Amino acid sequence: MPLLDTFSELTEIRADNHRYPLSDLVFMAVCMITCGAEDWKMVSELAKKKKSWLKLYIPLPHGVPSHHTFIRVFERLDPDEFRQCFITWVKQIAERTHDEVIAIDGKTLRRSYDKGDNKAAIHMVNAWASQTGMVLGQLKTAAKSNEITAIPALLDMLEISGCIVSTDAMGCQRAIAEKIRDKNAHYLLAVKGNQQHLHDDIKLYLDDLATKEKLPENASFHETVEKGHGRIEIRRCWTSADIHWLVQREDWKDLAMIGVVEGERHEGDQVSIERRYFISSLTTDAEHFMNSVRSHWSVENNLHWVLDIGFREDECRIRKGFGPENMAIFRQMALNLLKQEATLKLGIKNKRIMAAADDEYRTLLLQGII
């Protein structure tokens, strides 16, 4: 069994007289969180209801553990080691595809703060594979500003060769670009005020490029129009591989092109236009460039929004020890399983209800780990 085999490598943190192997506790937790459990007490209560099904895969000679057992174990379990097992497991059940966009983005677990211990809310940096729809890995930071140091550490854990790694403006750092290229991947980095001179230079050039009726040889343009929900969205992209004039080009490893994506939204009588600027090691056309940018934006709807709405992550009040971080990893394990199952056309929340109600559907969902 991939999950039991992978997580059997976890270092035991308890005395020798424990009743439940760590890998069994992980298996029960991920199964019950997939079924809708949102805290350790509900993990235990659901597991008791599904004891007969669980015994098809793990022996449970002492029955189902109490929620106190889950609390004690996962408040103390080393999240770095748990995370590495998670990443190893994901590699076993998901294939990387060439040119897949891996979006690196952060999310704060809002209720994880603990006033009593003067502990701030946890901020997690996630790596999201846009095409396969899976979380590849995550890393806790001390604060949102620490994403700059966390991103290279997270990239070191992942297999990203042949992929496109995208970040928001906070991740637009020379060291991050170099790390991505050293891992045989391409970077696509949003540029804003934290790289002021670079931003101003490429903005001036690309804004002028967007006014030209005929583009120069090394430039490209693509446009899409979408209608729905009472609004019209027009997206335009201009890219240029002519960067010989860019003073900062040598500062960014293998910098090959710059691009701007313009979004124009018509909603009733209201029209809004926004432009976002990017640098990349890619050598491609505007259509592929814009599709890659949009793949990064999908992390908000397909990961962060789903964690908040489908898993109520921002309402979770687990706060002690390593509990919040480990529960976040469990949620992402469950999300990966739910995202991979495509036969039932339901949202994540309803899929979790079906997993709790239907043994056959739960088995189908968990085929990646059992």
Side-chain angles (χ1 to χ4, degrees), residues 187-200:
Y187 58 82
L188 177 59
L189 310 178
V191 184
K192 288 187 179 179
N194 62 324
Q195 299 289 344
Q196 191 67 57
H197 294 303
L198 177 64
H199 174 267
D200 291 348

Side-chain angles (χ1 to χ4, degrees), residues 68-80:
H68 297 291
T69 298
F70 287 103
I71 291 171
R72 283 194 301 268
V73 170
F74 293 118
E75 280 185 0
R76 296 172 54 203
L77 182 65
D78 181 358
D80 292 331

Side-chain angles (χ1 to χ4, degrees), residues 126-294:
N126 301 306
W128 169 258
S130 59
Q131 185 170 324
T132 53
M134 297 187 73
V135 183
L136 303 183
Q138 65 291 114
L139 194 62
K140 172 190 168 185
T141 71
K144 183 175 175 62
S145 60
N146 291 72
E147 286 186 23
I148 293 171
T149 55
I151 291 173
L154 178 58
L155 292 172
D156 274 334
M157 303 176 188
L158 305 176
E159 174 51 56
I160 59 173
S161 178
C163 297
I164 301 167
V165 178
S166 62
T167 74
D168 61 14
M170 186 172 289
C172 186
Q173 304 290 331
R174 296 172 182 84
I176 291 174
E178 183 172 359
K179 172 67 69 175
I180 293 168
R181 293 300 290 145
D182 289 345
K183 298 276 289 185
N184 297 314
H186 283 291
Y187 58 82
L188 177 59
L189 310 178
V191 184
K192 288 187 179 179
N194 62 324
Q195 299 289 344
Q196 191 67 57
H197 294 303
L198 177 64
H199 174 267
D200 291 348
D201 288 350
I202 66 173
K203 180 180 185 300
L204 184 64
Y205 182 88
L206 291 168
D207 286 354
D208 179 67
L209 184 70
T211 67
K212 297 184 182 302
E213 291 186 9
K214 184 177 180 180
L215 296 178
E217 182 179 350
N218 290 327
S220 178
F221 172 73
H222 182 65
E223 179 180 271
T224 63
V225 179
E226 296 180 2
K227 300 178 181 179
H229 305 290
R231 62 177 179 263
I232 300 173
E233 293 196 33
I234 305 170
R235 294 185 179 90
R236 305 179 184 94
C237 179
W238 293 266
T239 62
S240 177
D242 178 13
I243 57 171
H244 72 278
W245 53 269
L246 188 61
V247 175
Q248 303 91 345
R249 67 185 184 279
E250 298 298 332
D251 296 336
W252 300 85
K253 186 170 182 177
D254 298 332
L255 178 60
M257 67 188 310
I258 57 177
V260 56
V261 176
E262 178 183 270
E264 179 179 327
R265 174 178 289 196
H266 297 252
E267 195 162 5
D269 295 330
Q270 302 296 316
V271 179
S272 60
I273 298 177
E274 181 182 19
R275 285 183 175 177
R276 304 184 188 187
Y277 302 86
F278 302 87
I279 59 173
S280 181
S281 59
L282 290 165
T283 52
T284 187
D285 58 21
E287 181 178 4
H288 182 224
F289 192 95
M290 184 164 72
N291 288 338
S292 298
V293 169
R294 294 190 67 185

Side-chain angles (χ1 to χ4, degrees), residues 291-302:
N291 288 338
S292 298
V293 169
R294 294 190 67 185
S295 292
H296 176 86
W297 293 343
S298 71
V299 70
E300 289 295 335
N301 289 333
N302 295 338

Side-chain angles (χ1 to χ4, degrees), residues 279-341:
I279 59 173
S280 181
S281 59
L282 290 165
T283 52
T284 187
D285 58 21
E287 181 178 4
H288 182 224
F289 192 95
M290 184 164 72
N291 288 338
S292 298
V293 169
R294 294 190 67 185
S295 292
H296 176 86
W297 293 343
S298 71
V299 70
E300 289 295 335
N301 289 333
N302 295 338
L303 177 58
H304 296 169
W305 188 87
V306 171
L307 287 172
D308 284 341
I309 302 303
F311 287 85
R312 316 306 297 179
E313 183 170 76
D314 274 354
E315 297 176 15
C316 181
R317 300 176 69 87
I318 295 173
R319 295 170 176 172
K320 299 296 184 180
F322 297 128
E325 195 172 349
N326 287 328
M327 176 57 86
I329 296 173
F330 275 122
R331 282 191 289 263
Q332 294 181 351
M333 292 173 70
L335 177 61
N336 281 352
L337 294 170
L338 292 159
K339 284 281 189 180
Q340 292 305 291
E341 201 294 296

